Amino acid sequence: MPHQRPDRSRPRLWEQHCCLPLLPSAAVGDLTRYRLGSYLSVNVGFSLHSSRDSLELLDLFRRDALSDGRFRLVGSIDDAWPAETLVPEDAVAPGDSTAVDPDELIALAFDLEDSGPLDGDLDNVELFYSLGVRSLLPSYNHANAAGCGCLDTEDTGLTAYGRDLVRTLNEVGMFADGSHCSRRTGLDISATTTAPMIYSHSNFAALWEHPRNITDEQARACAETGGVIGINGVGIFLGRNAPAAHADRVEAMADHIAYGAELVGIEHIGIGSDYSFDDFNEEIAENPEAFSDAYTRWGPIQWTPPEDLLGESTVPGLDEVLAKRGFSEADRAAIFGENFARVAREVWRD
Ligand SMILES: [Zn+2]
């Protein structure tokens, strides 16, 4: 019987990093501001959290997602990025854009921003993996037992423990992530990993010099592992932090995508918007030791919410902006999700 692919008028999204409030009051249902059918990786802890803190958050988020009914918890790559359902051609009117899988849900996985939540025990990587954590970055902004962070003035890269951590991530099948790490730590991850590494949410320093942005050398080293760099929509990392600059931020994301595609190839570029459903500016005010004036000097941090990213607000969405710049439908599908999905297929252990 002839079949046709569901007519998705816009590409499916693999959002490699966004943030709920790291509190029991977090509303997991808010994540449905992303379209059903998306894959989302949601943070469950950073440098200020212990294993117990992150395990409690995971338990809460997983229970809330299941009771909400619009989520599927990610175990395998098929949960994260299922093959599109083929619909019999005679069941669908030509051009019918509603022909998508009626059982579409949001695929929900988790990530850790810092190795602190391991409590120094590498066996916890396996435990977190079993609960849906699929990505971990060793050092959030500042040095820890694993290595240096991007706000450190002295950069000695990964420690011996940090290299053991990367090898453990490889064995368990979790993404080794270089975002928030120092430049040398990022390069050391590339040199140590035997699987593709990622930068889950990092832009290019060549376009906007900021310690959270990565150098061309880091980007090339990541691509050489076969990995992907997720471009974020954070005002201070794009150099577009004016509160009203919603359209500028989407355009600037496209600038970073175009730059990365030219530098390392389009197959190594994805999206990790870093959108915060929390008031992250309060988090910074309450925990100044985890940040620096590189986070506060432009005023309250502005974001690219799902509605701006997806073209559901008053500004043109990223897909439309990229199409106008000449990116083909296949290019946009790769950037929006296929690239991260390909790397997950290689790295994750089902
Ligand atoms: Zn982050």
Side-chain angles (χ1 to χ4, degrees):
M1 181 186 292
H3 287 75
Q4 71 178 43
R5 288 156 58 89
D7 176 11
R8 297 176 189 274
S9 56
R10 290 164 294 192
R12 185 157 48 143
L13 177 67
W14 181 294
E15 163 69 280
Q16 183 52 49
H17 182 70
C18 61
C19 303
L20 286 171
L22 296 171
L23 298 166
S25 57
V28 171
D30 286 353
L31 294 169
T32 58
R33 287 170 58 190
Y34 290 95
R35 275 199 287 272
L36 301 186
S38 301
Y39 166 91
L40 306 180
S41 179
V42 172
N43 178 238
V44 287
F46 71 116
S47 52
L48 302 172
H49 295 93
S50 65
S51 280
R52 187 180 166 165
D53 295 334
S54 291
L55 290 170
E56 284 177 1
L57 285 166
L58 270 168
D59 184 50
L60 184 77
F61 289 180
R62 289 169 64 88
R63 273 190 291 126
D64 286 356
L66 288 175
S67 64
D68 180 282
R70 291 171 290 179
F71 297 89
R72 176 176 58 247
L73 296 174
V74 168
S76 70
I77 181 65
D78 291 332
D79 299 327
W81 202 249
E84 292 184 287
T85 307
L86 294 176
V87 180
E89 222 168 45
D90 52 12
V92 184
D96 178 359
S97 64
T98 62
V100 293
D101 181 354
D103 298 324
E104 271 191 342
L105 301 169
I106 285 182
L108 186 61
F110 305 98
D111 60 73
L112 286 169
E113 292 191 284
D114 203 80
S115 49
L118 300 177
D119 285 353
D121 181 354
L122 293 179
D123 288 344
N124 280 329
V125 174
E126 179 77 51
L127 173 63
F128 279 112
Y129 190 91
S130 73
L131 296 169
V133 175
R134 288 291 176 275
S135 177
L136 180 147
L137 63 88
S139 305
Y140 185 90
N141 292 352
H142 291 111
N144 59 14
C148 290
C150 66
L151 300 181
D152 288 323
T153 46
E154 194 189 346
D155 184 4
T156 52
L158 278 180
T159 63
Y161 169 73
R163 285 191 291 277
D164 285 345
L165 168 60
V166 171
R167 287 188 273 269
T168 304
L169 294 170
N170 289 165
E171 280 163 25
V172 171
M174 193 181 290
F175 283 146
D177 179 3
S179 288
H180 287 279
C181 295
S182 69
R183 289 169 178 182
R184 186 164 162 201
T185 296
L187 293 171
D188 286 351
I189 295 171
S190 295
T192 305
T193 188
T194 55
M197 73 167 288
I198 66 168
Y199 285 92
S200 60
H201 58 303
S202 288
N203 298 339
F204 294 102
L207 296 188
W208 175 247
E209 182 56 51
H210 188 284
R212 266 286 283 112
N213 291 351
I214 62 171
T215 62
D216 290 358
E217 185 186 14
Q218 285 175 278
R220 282 196 202 96
C222 170
E224 276 166 25
T225 71
V228 173
I229 299 153
I231 299 303
N232 68 58
V234 183
I236 61 169
F237 307 146
L238 293 165
R240 303 281 199 289
N241 201 54
H246 286 255
D248 280 358
R249 279 188 279 281
V250 178
E251 289 285 345
M253 287 183 80
D255 291 343
H256 283 264
I257 287 167
Y259 181 83
E262 184 71 29
L263 180 71
V264 293
I266 202 165
E267 66 274 27
H268 299 291
I269 305 297
I271 294 168
S273 85
D274 200 15
Y275 181 66
S276 176
F277 288 83
D278 193 3
D279 189 347
F280 187 69
N281 291 297
E282 263 173 38
E283 181 102 37
I284 294 173
E286 283 165 17
N287 303 290
E289 73 282 6
F291 302 94
S292 79
D293 81 327
Y295 274 77
T296 54
R297 79 171 74 136
W298 294 279
I301 297 176
Q302 306 298 319
W303 315 91
T304 299
E307 294 80 7
D308 288 359
L309 183 72
L310 300 172
E312 292 166 355
S313 67
T314 55
V315 305
L318 184 60
D319 185 52
E320 185 182 339
V321 169
L322 290 173
K324 271 196 191 126
R325 294 185 186 207
F327 287 86
S328 70
E329 192 179 340
D331 290 342
R332 279 142 43 214
I335 294 161
F336 266 76
E338 297 295 342
N339 289 336
F340 268 125
R342 178 193 71 240
V343 177
R345 252 176 234 117
E346 284 179 57
V347 176
W348 297 0
R349 185 206 59 208
D350 274 344

